[in-house]
């Protein structure tokens, strides 16, 4: 079964950044023109870390610049780390092609990395290619942070999982944003003890990678390469990756 846990998330400080201005689409769909627009949109847009050069064009200096940017933002208080381990409920809202209001609610947590196999708690559904993995490996190895989540579908009972997420989100959100595509985002930060029953439920069956196969395999390679540094009894951060898990009855906008 998957190993799902809370963690001390690194977040944009809402007092230092307008979340609507600093978010960016997934790195692999950002065109050169859109990247330039995001850079101009806000000096703290996350694209400066997530995609430090046009897709496929980054070199060592670009990855170092991303790491230096992340370190600078932490020093300046633009990025702040949770004092205690948490999970985050993330809900998107959008209007579909027929004019109907839609939502998708998932849970952000850390997922223990494991190799694929018949008894694994993490299941793939597509093949990968070397180029994207080399780029993401260089970014991960230089910044030593997960800048965006891998997306998974939960294998647990979908109605029970949806109800558990709705309960965690049963109050005013802690942060909101609207991205350029018109999608509304709402976030609820949940302490570890309150999240434990939902994490236990989500861990009751394997999860399937919906988006992020290259990054998952990149994280596995990074863990293998750092294995000689492991200290007995410790659980290093590179044993995990950032996961956004949806119940099977929820899906993000196309």
């Amino acid at each position: 079964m998957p190993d799902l846990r809370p963690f001390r998330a690194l977040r944009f400080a809402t007092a230092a950044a307008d979340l609507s201005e600093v978010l960016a689409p997934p790195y692999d769909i950002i065109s050169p023109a859109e990247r330039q627009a995001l850079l101009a949109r806000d000096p703290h847009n996350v694209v400066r870390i997530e995609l430090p050069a046009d897709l496929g064009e980054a070199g060592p200096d670009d990855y170092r610049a991303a790491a230096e940017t992340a370190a600078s933002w932490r020093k300046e208080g633009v990025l702040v780390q949770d004092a205690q381990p948490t999970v985050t409920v993330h809900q998107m809202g959008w209007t579909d092609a027929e004019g109907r209001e839609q939502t998708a609610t998932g849970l952000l947590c850390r997922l223990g990395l494991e190799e694929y196999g018949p008894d694994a708690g993490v299941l793939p559904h597509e093949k990968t290619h070397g180029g994207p993995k080399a780029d993401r490996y260089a970014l991960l190895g230089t910044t030593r942070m997960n800048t965006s989540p891998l997306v998974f579908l939960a294998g647990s009972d979908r109605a029970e999982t949806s109800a558990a997420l709705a309960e965690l989100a049963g109050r005013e959100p802690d942060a909101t944003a609207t991205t350029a595509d018109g999608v509304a985002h709402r976030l609820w930060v949940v302490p570890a003890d309150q999240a434990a029953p939902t994490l236990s439920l989500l861990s009751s069956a394997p999860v399937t990678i919906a988006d992020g196969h290259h990054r998952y395999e990149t994280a596995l390679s990074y863990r293998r390469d750092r294995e000689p540094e492991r200290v007995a009894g410790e659980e290093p951060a590179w044993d995990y990756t950032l996961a956004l898990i949806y119940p099977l009855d929820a899906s993000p906008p196309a």
Side-chain angles (χ1 to χ4, degrees), residues 60-97:
D61 289 345
D62 299 303
Y63 299 120
R64 280 194 293 270
E68 291 168 1
T69 296
S72 175
W73 289 358
R74 294 187 71 168
K75 184 178 180 180
E76 296 167 7
V78 175
L79 295 175
V80 294
Q81 190 169 31
D82 289 350
Q84 300 294 330
T86 64
V87 301
T88 301
V89 177
H90 172 243
Q91 184 179 83
M92 293 186 291
W94 71 98
T95 303
D96 67 17

Tab-separated table of all heavy atoms in Angstrom, residues 60-97:
chain	number	residue	atom	x	y	z
A	60	PRO	N	23.372	24.002	-17.134
A	60	PRO	CA	23.790	24.066	-15.726
A	60	PRO	C	23.579	25.429	-15.081
A	60	PRO	O	23.161	25.513	-13.920
A	60	PRO	CB	25.270	23.688	-15.789
A	60	PRO	CG	25.385	22.826	-17.007
A	60	PRO	CD	24.421	23.405	-18.000
A	61	ASP	N	23.864	26.509	-15.817
A	61	ASP	CA	23.694	27.848	-15.240
A	61	ASP	C	22.230	28.134	-14.920
A	61	ASP	O	21.925	28.813	-13.926
A	61	ASP	CB	24.232	28.918	-16.195
A	61	ASP	CG	25.747	28.912	-16.283
A	61	ASP	OD1	26.392	28.295	-15.412
A	61	ASP	OD2	26.274	29.517	-17.241
A	62	ASP	N	21.317	27.626	-15.745
A	62	ASP	CA	19.889	27.851	-15.517
A	62	ASP	C	19.420	27.110	-14.266
A	62	ASP	O	18.657	27.663	-13.461
A	62	ASP	CB	19.077	27.382	-16.733
A	62	ASP	CG	19.450	28.136	-17.999
A	62	ASP	OD1	19.348	29.374	-17.994
A	62	ASP	OD2	19.859	27.482	-18.967
A	63	TYR	N	19.874	25.879	-14.086
A	63	TYR	CA	19.481	25.126	-12.901
A	63	TYR	C	20.061	25.768	-11.635
A	63	TYR	O	19.383	25.845	-10.606
A	63	TYR	CB	19.933	23.670	-13.021
A	63	TYR	CG	19.318	22.938	-14.191
A	63	TYR	CD1	20.114	22.384	-15.192
A	63	TYR	CD2	17.936	22.813	-14.318
A	63	TYR	CE1	19.557	21.717	-16.277
A	63	TYR	CE2	17.365	22.154	-15.406
A	63	TYR	CZ	18.180	21.608	-16.388
A	63	TYR	OH	17.625	20.952	-17.455
A	64	ARG	N	21.293	26.246	-11.730
A	64	ARG	CA	21.874	26.941	-10.574
A	64	ARG	C	21.097	28.213	-10.262
A	64	ARG	O	20.877	28.547	-9.087
A	64	ARG	CB	23.348	27.263	-10.841
A	64	ARG	CG	24.283	26.086	-10.628
A	64	ARG	CD	25.732	26.547	-10.581
A	64	ARG	NE	26.175	27.052	-11.875
A	64	ARG	CZ	26.730	26.310	-12.810
A	64	ARG	NH1	26.913	25.017	-12.600
A	64	ARG	NH2	27.114	26.841	-13.960
A	65	ALA	N	20.674	28.912	-11.303
A	65	ALA	CA	19.887	30.135	-11.086
A	65	ALA	C	18.570	29.819	-10.387
A	65	ALA	O	18.119	30.573	-9.509
A	65	ALA	CB	19.631	30.838	-12.418
A	66	ALA	N	17.939	28.704	-10.753
A	66	ALA	CA	16.694	28.305	-10.094
A	66	ALA	C	16.930	28.045	-8.609
A	66	ALA	O	16.135	28.462	-7.762
A	66	ALA	CB	16.125	27.057	-10.770
A	67	ALA	N	18.019	27.351	-8.288
A	67	ALA	CA	18.331	27.069	-6.886
A	67	ALA	C	18.624	28.354	-6.122
A	67	ALA	O	18.191	28.523	-4.966
A	67	ALA	CB	19.518	26.118	-6.800
A	68	GLU	N	19.350	29.263	-6.757
A	68	GLU	CA	19.655	30.534	-6.098
A	68	GLU	C	18.396	31.366	-5.887
A	68	GLU	O	18.246	32.039	-4.853
A	68	GLU	CB	20.674	31.309	-6.940
A	68	GLU	CG	22.057	30.667	-6.942
A	68	GLU	CD	22.978	31.263	-7.995
A	68	GLU	OE1	22.524	32.194	-8.716
A	68	GLU	OE2	24.129	30.817	-8.104
A	69	THR	N	17.479	31.318	-6.841
A	69	THR	CA	16.207	32.030	-6.693
A	69	THR	C	15.416	31.480	-5.519
A	69	THR	O	14.899	32.243	-4.685
A	69	THR	CB	15.376	31.918	-7.983
A	69	THR	OG1	16.061	32.575	-9.042
A	69	THR	CG2	13.997	32.536	-7.801
A	70	ALA	N	15.319	30.161	-5.421
A	70	ALA	CA	14.586	29.543	-4.307
A	70	ALA	C	15.205	29.929	-2.975
A	70	ALA	O	14.488	30.270	-2.007
A	70	ALA	CB	14.568	28.027	-4.481
A	71	ALA	N	16.523	29.898	-2.880
A	71	ALA	CA	17.201	30.252	-1.630
A	71	ALA	C	16.961	31.722	-1.284
A	71	ALA	O	16.729	32.070	-0.112
A	71	ALA	CB	18.694	29.967	-1.752
A	72	SER	N	17.006	32.585	-2.299
A	72	SER	CA	16.783	34.013	-2.069
A	72	SER	C	15.365	34.276	-1.587
A	72	SER	O	15.149	35.068	-0.655
A	72	SER	CB	17.056	34.786	-3.360
A	72	SER	OG	16.737	36.150	-3.217
A	73	TRP	N	14.379	33.619	-2.199
A	73	TRP	CA	12.990	33.825	-1.791
A	73	TRP	C	12.751	33.348	-0.370
A	73	TRP	O	11.964	33.938	0.369
A	73	TRP	CB	12.051	33.125	-2.761
A	73	TRP	CG	11.982	33.781	-4.110
A	73	TRP	CD1	12.622	34.926	-4.502
A	73	TRP	CD2	11.232	33.337	-5.241
A	73	TRP	NE1	12.321	35.218	-5.809
A	73	TRP	CE2	11.475	34.267	-6.288
A	73	TRP	CE3	10.400	32.253	-5.473
A	73	TRP	CZ2	10.892	34.124	-7.543
A	73	TRP	CZ3	9.811	32.107	-6.732
A	73	TRP	CH2	10.057	33.043	-7.751
A	74	ARG	N	13.420	32.278	0.040
A	74	ARG	CA	13.286	31.820	1.423
A	74	ARG	C	13.888	32.845	2.378
A	74	ARG	O	13.308	33.163	3.428
A	74	ARG	CB	13.952	30.459	1.601
A	74	ARG	CG	13.270	29.339	0.836
A	74	ARG	CD	13.840	27.976	1.164
A	74	ARG	NE	13.471	27.556	2.514
A	74	ARG	CZ	13.633	26.327	2.970
A	74	ARG	NH1	14.163	25.390	2.200
A	74	ARG	NH2	13.275	26.020	4.200
A	75	LYS	N	15.039	33.375	2.037
A	75	LYS	CA	15.698	34.371	2.882
A	75	LYS	C	14.867	35.633	2.996
A	75	LYS	O	14.785	36.251	4.076
A	75	LYS	CB	17.081	34.685	2.314
A	75	LYS	CG	17.895	35.648	3.165
A	75	LYS	CD	19.282	35.864	2.566
A	75	LYS	CE	20.101	36.822	3.423
A	75	LYS	NZ	21.461	37.040	2.834
A	76	GLU	N	14.200	36.015	1.905
A	76	GLU	CA	13.398	37.245	1.888
A	76	GLU	C	12.013	37.058	2.501
A	76	GLU	O	11.286	38.035	2.682
A	76	GLU	CB	13.236	37.724	0.443
A	76	GLU	CG	14.537	38.132	-0.228
A	76	GLU	CD	14.382	38.300	-1.736
A	76	GLU	OE1	13.230	38.226	-2.217
A	76	GLU	OE2	15.399	38.488	-2.416
A	77	GLY	N	11.624	35.810	2.789
A	77	GLY	CA	10.302	35.554	3.349
A	77	GLY	C	9.212	35.426	2.311
A	77	GLY	O	8.025	35.392	2.668
A	78	VAL	N	9.587	35.360	1.042
A	78	VAL	CA	8.591	35.119	-0.007
A	78	VAL	C	8.082	33.683	0.093
A	78	VAL	O	6.887	33.415	-0.087
A	78	VAL	CB	9.194	35.392	-1.399
A	78	VAL	CG1	8.209	35.034	-2.506
A	78	VAL	CG2	9.618	36.851	-1.512
A	79	LEU	N	8.990	32.759	0.366
A	79	LEU	CA	8.643	31.365	0.635
A	79	LEU	C	8.873	31.081	2.107
A	79	LEU	O	9.924	31.437	2.663
A	79	LEU	CB	9.500	30.413	-0.206
A	79	LEU	CG	9.330	30.468	-1.723
A	79	LEU	CD1	10.341	29.547	-2.398
A	79	LEU	CD2	7.910	30.071	-2.121
A	80	VAL	N	7.902	30.460	2.750
A	80	VAL	CA	8.010	30.131	4.171
A	80	VAL	C	7.630	28.658	4.366
A	80	VAL	O	6.796	28.118	3.628
A	80	VAL	CB	7.105	31.024	5.043
A	80	VAL	CG1	7.572	32.468	4.994
A	80	VAL	CG2	5.653	30.929	4.604
A	81	GLN	N	8.240	28.033	5.343
A	81	GLN	CA	7.983	26.621	5.606
A	81	GLN	C	7.052	26.466	6.797
A	81	GLN	O	7.164	27.186	7.792
A	81	GLN	CB	9.293	25.884	5.873
A	81	GLN	CG	9.149	24.364	5.921
A	81	GLN	CD	10.495	23.667	5.920
A	81	GLN	OE1	11.479	24.186	6.426
A	81	GLN	NE2	10.542	22.472	5.338
A	82	ASP	N	6.102	25.529	6.681
A	82	ASP	CA	5.200	25.247	7.792
A	82	ASP	C	5.998	24.887	9.033
A	82	ASP	O	7.009	24.172	8.957
A	82	ASP	CB	4.273	24.077	7.449
A	82	ASP	CG	3.233	24.425	6.401
A	82	ASP	OD1	3.101	25.619	6.079
A	82	ASP	OD2	2.546	23.498	5.921
A	83	ALA	N	5.520	25.348	10.189
A	83	ALA	CA	6.216	25.051	11.443
A	83	ALA	C	6.089	23.583	11.828
A	83	ALA	O	6.987	23.017	12.466
A	83	ALA	CB	5.663	25.938	12.569
A	84	GLN	N	4.968	22.963	11.437
A	84	GLN	CA	4.702	21.566	11.762
A	84	GLN	C	4.246	20.833	10.499
A	84	GLN	O	3.783	21.463	9.551
A	84	GLN	CB	3.622	21.460	12.849
A	84	GLN	CG	3.974	22.137	14.156
A	84	GLN	CD	5.148	21.480	14.860
A	84	GLN	OE1	5.354	20.269	14.719
A	84	GLN	NE2	5.907	22.261	15.604
A	85	PRO	N	4.327	19.505	10.471
A	85	PRO	CA	3.838	18.760	9.301
A	85	PRO	C	2.344	18.980	9.076
A	85	PRO	O	1.552	19.032	10.025
A	85	PRO	CB	4.137	17.298	9.660
A	85	PRO	CG	5.263	17.373	10.638
A	85	PRO	CD	5.001	18.616	11.443
A	86	THR	N	1.969	19.119	7.820
A	86	THR	CA	0.579	19.345	7.427
A	86	THR	C	0.300	18.586	6.130
A	86	THR	O	1.219	18.076	5.477
A	86	THR	CB	0.297	20.833	7.165
A	86	THR	OG1	1.088	21.274	6.045
A	86	THR	CG2	0.595	21.683	8.387
A	87	VAL	N	-0.958	18.530	5.756
A	87	VAL	CA	-1.367	18.218	4.387
A	87	VAL	C	-2.187	19.404	3.911
A	87	VAL	O	-2.582	20.263	4.701
A	87	VAL	CB	-2.185	16.911	4.289
A	87	VAL	CG1	-1.391	15.728	4.808
A	87	VAL	CG2	-3.519	17.043	5.008
A	88	THR	N	-2.457	19.454	2.608
A	88	THR	CA	-3.227	20.558	2.057
A	88	THR	C	-4.318	20.015	1.146
A	88	THR	O	-4.028	19.240	0.227
A	88	THR	CB	-2.325	21.518	1.258
A	88	THR	OG1	-1.299	22.036	2.117
A	88	THR	CG2	-3.138	22.684	0.700
A	89	VAL	N	-5.543	20.405	1.410
A	89	VAL	CA	-6.637	20.102	0.491
A	89	VAL	C	-6.638	21.174	-0.593
A	89	VAL	O	-6.595	22.374	-0.300
A	89	VAL	CB	-7.994	20.070	1.215
A	89	VAL	CG1	-9.125	19.811	0.219
A	89	VAL	CG2	-8.002	19.012	2.308
A	90	HIS	N	-6.657	20.739	-1.839
A	90	HIS	CA	-6.630	21.657	-2.981
A	90	HIS	C	-7.871	21.418	-3.834
A	90	HIS	O	-8.133	20.293	-4.244
A	90	HIS	CB	-5.383	21.408	-3.830
A	90	HIS	CG	-5.366	22.172	-5.108
A	90	HIS	ND1	-5.366	21.567	-6.344
A	90	HIS	CD2	-5.366	23.509	-5.358
A	90	HIS	CE1	-5.346	22.482	-7.290
A	90	HIS	NE2	-5.347	23.667	-6.729
A	91	GLN	N	-8.619	22.475	-4.061
A	91	GLN	CA	-9.827	22.365	-4.885
A	91	GLN	C	-9.750	23.330	-6.052
A	91	GLN	O	-9.436	24.512	-5.896
A	91	GLN	CB	-11.079	22.678	-4.065
A	91	GLN	CG	-12.375	22.499	-4.840
A	91	GLN	CD	-13.583	22.802	-3.975
A	91	GLN	OE1	-13.960	23.953	-3.812
A	91	GLN	NE2	-14.171	21.766	-3.409
A	92	MET	N	-10.028	22.811	-7.246
A	92	MET	CA	-10.136	23.639	-8.443
A	92	MET	C	-11.597	23.770	-8.838
A	92	MET	O	-12.370	22.819	-8.685
A	92	MET	CB	-9.359	23.011	-9.603
A	92	MET	CG	-7.867	22.997	-9.415
A	92	MET	SD	-7.000	22.401	-10.899
A	92	MET	CE	-7.491	20.676	-10.886
A	93	GLY	N	-11.965	24.923	-9.347
A	93	GLY	CA	-13.311	25.144	-9.859
A	93	GLY	C	-13.245	25.791	-11.230
A	93	GLY	O	-12.441	26.697	-11.454
A	94	TRP	N	-14.049	25.325	-12.169
A	94	TRP	CA	-14.039	25.861	-13.528
A	94	TRP	C	-15.401	25.638	-14.177
A	94	TRP	O	-16.232	24.876	-13.684
A	94	TRP	CB	-12.936	25.209	-14.352
A	94	TRP	CG	-13.167	23.773	-14.715
A	94	TRP	CD1	-13.657	23.281	-15.889
A	94	TRP	CD2	-12.929	22.622	-13.887
A	94	TRP	NE1	-13.746	21.911	-15.852
A	94	TRP	CE2	-13.300	21.471	-14.623
A	94	TRP	CE3	-12.444	22.437	-12.584
A	94	TRP	CZ2	-13.203	20.179	-14.123
A	94	TRP	CZ3	-12.340	21.151	-12.082
A	94	TRP	CH2	-12.714	20.041	-12.856
A	95	THR	N	-15.610	26.301	-15.302
A	95	THR	CA	-16.836	26.154	-16.079
A	95	THR	C	-16.518	25.327	-17.321
A	95	THR	O	-15.595	25.659	-18.074
A	95	THR	CB	-17.386	27.529	-16.499
A	95	THR	OG1	-17.597	28.321	-15.324
A	95	THR	CG2	-18.702	27.373	-17.233
A	96	ASP	N	-17.263	24.245	-17.530
A	96	ASP	CA	-16.965	23.374	-18.668
A	96	ASP	C	-17.556	23.943	-19.966
A	96	ASP	O	-18.181	25.014	-19.981
A	96	ASP	CB	-17.429	21.940	-18.403
A	96	ASP	CG	-18.945	21.794	-18.313
A	96	ASP	OD1	-19.684	22.698	-18.761
A	96	ASP	OD2	-19.410	20.753	-17.795
A	97	ALA	N	-17.343	23.209	-21.061
A	97	ALA	CA	-17.756	23.692	-22.377
A	97	ALA	C	-19.260	23.881	-22.492
A	97	ALA	O	-19.742	24.640	-23.342
A	97	ALA	CB	-17.271	22.721	-23.454
